Amino acid sequence: MRYIIFVVLFLLNIIHAAESHLDLSWAQWSIKNRSSRDVSCREGLEYGHDNICCLNCPAGTYAKKACLTASEKGECEPCEFDTYTEHGNGLQKCFSCNKCRIDQETTEKCTSTQNTQCKCKQGSFCLPDQACEVCKKCSRCKEDEETVKGCTDISNTVCEKRSSSGSSSGSSSGSSSGSSSGSSSGSSISVTFIIVPVIAMLAGILSFVYWTKTKPITSRSPREMVKICMGDSEEVIEERQNAQNAKIDDSSQLQPFLEQNYVERESSRTLVPLNGEESLKKTFDFFEEMDVHYHNRFFRFIGLSDNSIKSTESLFPEDRVYELLKIWMEKEGLKADFNSLIEALIYLDQRMSAENIVTKAISDGYYKYEDE
């Protein structure tokens, strides 16, 4: 009987130990398999990696290797030449430095902790609250206007109408001369015989000049006609330019200019999908190839609004590209076309990225050339 009790107690201990081990294993498995969204890292100080939070690398570096233990710093590597990071981060590579456009000049060169700083060249400007795709020409005040504020690299010329301040002096001088002539009436009578013929001669000259100016333009030679038309065109062009620059408009005014040039470029070979709409979706990951500094220009060019672009600023670059392309696809509907995205990259001088994306799309079996 004593042996039976001993065996029962031994079996109960084994069962209890097994249950404890299973509970511990389950807890460990649950912790290990938590999704990354369950981990809450301190904003601006840490970044998430494999369900733990690592300390940010300092500005001017990037996270070459993430940490293995929570709240520790991984392996941080300094940014290479012509790359930078402005803030503490957990990025896998530094950002490429911007290059100032031909209509801009460099104010500060790129460093490991600051991007290149550019401004519009003298005689042109970009408003600070708008996307600066092209510097606009400064306006010139008209003849009946005066300059209140000169043009700067971030503001247009400010003009206002001149105040009329010469009428009163003109009228007073007229009255004084009238009184003076009245006092010397005797001498004016003697001069009348000289003035009247002179006035008649001046009237004849003015009549001849007026008749010459109002002659039909067909009486002039073809060369003179061409010169007059050209002069009128230059005045009209400058007037339109000043009117356009004087407006405080949004970046949508640039779209007609871009579309005009967009249509005039050389047409490329057309790519056709091998799996309908799914082919287009599967290529979205390939657009991570695009230079991050061209993201905003690219998405504006294909028709996305600034609000849509700004709504994804908190995402990592590759996630941001994918989300914005999804928004573009929903907006375009049946008109969404892979060829339009490639042509937009080529127009923005991102030809290498465009070629790499096309190569991947063809090699992965999503697209082929229409003529093949």
Side-chain angles (χ1 to χ4, degrees):
M1 184 67 179
R2 186 169 53 187
Y3 290 107
I4 294 174
I5 294 172
F6 175 78
V7 171
V8 171
L9 292 174
F10 180 73
L11 290 174
L12 289 173
N13 286 333
I14 291 174
I15 293 171
H16 179 70
E19 288 178 348
S20 301
H21 180 72
L22 287 173
D23 291 341
L24 179 61
S25 299
W26 173 258
Q28 291 175 343
W29 183 86
S30 298
I31 293 172
K32 185 177 180 180
N33 287 275
R34 284 190 304 172
S35 62
S36 58
R37 62 175 173 268
D38 294 329
V39 178
S40 179
C41 299
R42 293 175 294 173
E43 186 175 358
L45 298 175
E46 296 175 326
Y47 63 95
H49 177 77
D50 285 347
N51 301 328
I52 61 174
C53 294
C54 301
L55 292 177
N56 281 344
C57 289
T61 66
Y62 69 97
K64 187 175 182 180
K65 289 184 180 179
C67 66
L68 300 176
T69 306
S71 298
E72 289 189 358
K73 190 178 292 183
E75 183 180 340
C76 300
E77 188 80 6
C79 292
E80 297 178 356
F81 174 74
D82 212 26
T83 63
Y84 75 99
T85 55
E86 291 186 345
H87 310 288
N89 64 88
L91 300 174
Q92 296 179 356
K93 62 179 179 179
C94 299
F95 297 117
S96 298
C97 295
N98 281 348
K99 300 289 187 295
C100 294
R101 300 193 308 268
I102 193 170
D103 59 349
Q104 294 177 320
E105 58 186 21
T106 303
T107 57
E108 292 185 32
K109 294 183 178 180
C110 186
T111 66
S112 62
T113 58
Q114 177 182 281
N115 195 9
T116 310
Q117 303 297 311
C118 308
K119 72 172 184 178
C120 292
K121 290 184 177 179
Q122 187 173 4
S124 61
F125 73 98
C126 263
L127 299 177
D129 58 343
Q130 297 178 8
C132 187
E133 302 292 351
V134 176
C135 291
K136 300 177 182 179
K137 182 181 176 183
C138 294
S139 298
R140 290 189 297 177
C141 295
K142 298 178 181 179
E143 292 183 358
D144 61 342
E145 295 177 333
E146 58 184 359
T147 303
V148 177
K149 187 177 180 182
C151 185
T152 69
D153 61 301
I154 58 171
S155 63
N156 196 9
T157 312
V158 178
C159 307
E160 69 176 13
K161 292 285 185 181
R162 296 183 186 274
S163 57
S164 55
S165 58
S167 57
S168 59
S169 61
S171 61
S172 62
S173 64
S175 61
S176 63
S177 62
S179 61
S180 147
S181 62
S183 62
S184 55
S185 57
S187 59
S188 352
I189 295 172
S190 60
V191 178
T192 302
F193 295 102
I194 300 173
I195 293 177
V196 170
V198 172
I199 292 175
M201 183 176 63
L202 289 174
I205 293 172
L206 291 174
S207 299
F208 176 77
V209 171
Y210 177 77
W211 176 79
T212 304
K213 291 289 184 182
T214 54
K215 284 176 67 179
I217 197 168
T218 52
S219 64
R220 296 174 180 171
S221 65
R223 185 180 297 275
E224 290 175 337
M225 291 173 64
V226 171
K227 288 183 179 178
I228 290 171
C229 291
M230 289 176 65
D232 291 343
S233 298
E234 289 173 356
E235 291 177 4
V236 170
I237 289 171
E238 182 171 348
E239 198 67 33
R240 288 177 180 172
Q241 180 68 44
N242 288 339
Q244 180 180 1
N245 288 339
K247 294 179 180 178
I248 307 300
D249 56 354
D250 56 18
S251 60
S252 62
Q253 281 189 327
L254 188 63
Q255 193 65 24
F257 170 77
L258 294 177
E259 290 176 354
Q260 180 182 358
N261 289 276
Y262 186 78
V263 171
E264 291 175 356
R265 68 183 184 283
E266 292 184 357
S267 59
S268 57
R269 296 170 67 190
T270 303
L271 290 154
V272 293
L274 297 178
N275 196 22
E277 188 177 284
E278 286 300 313
S279 292
L280 178 58
K281 288 181 181 178
K282 290 181 182 295
T283 61
F284 286 173
D285 289 332
F286 300 158
F287 284 83
E288 298 173 9
E289 168 82 22
M290 182 171 46
D291 187 343
V292 68
H293 297 100
Y294 282 81
H295 283 182
N296 289 356
R297 263 189 275 181
F298 173 77
F299 288 113
R300 287 192 192 100
F301 189 85
I302 63 175
L304 293 187
S305 65
D306 283 346
N307 288 337
S308 298
I309 296 170
K310 288 179 181 178
S311 67
T312 60
E313 285 182 347
S314 60
L315 300 176
F316 284 106
E318 56 270 17
D319 296 332
R320 186 169 184 247
V321 169
Y322 189 87
E323 288 300 319
L324 287 173
L325 286 174
K326 281 174 57 180
I327 295 172
W328 167 80
M329 187 173 180
E330 292 172 1
K331 174 179 175 291
E332 293 295 311
L334 296 175
K335 294 190 295 181
D337 183 21
F338 180 71
N339 293 281
S340 299
L341 301 179
I342 297 302
E343 290 169 355
L345 286 174
I346 293 172
Y347 177 78
L348 294 172
D349 291 331
Q350 295 295 292
R351 184 175 294 275
M352 183 175 292
S353 295
E355 291 174 355
N356 290 339
I357 292 170
V358 169
T359 301
K360 290 178 184 177
I362 294 174
S363 63
D364 287 5
Y366 301 144
Y367 281 84
K368 71 172 186 177
Y369 285 114
E370 189 176 33
D371 55 4
E372 290 183 350

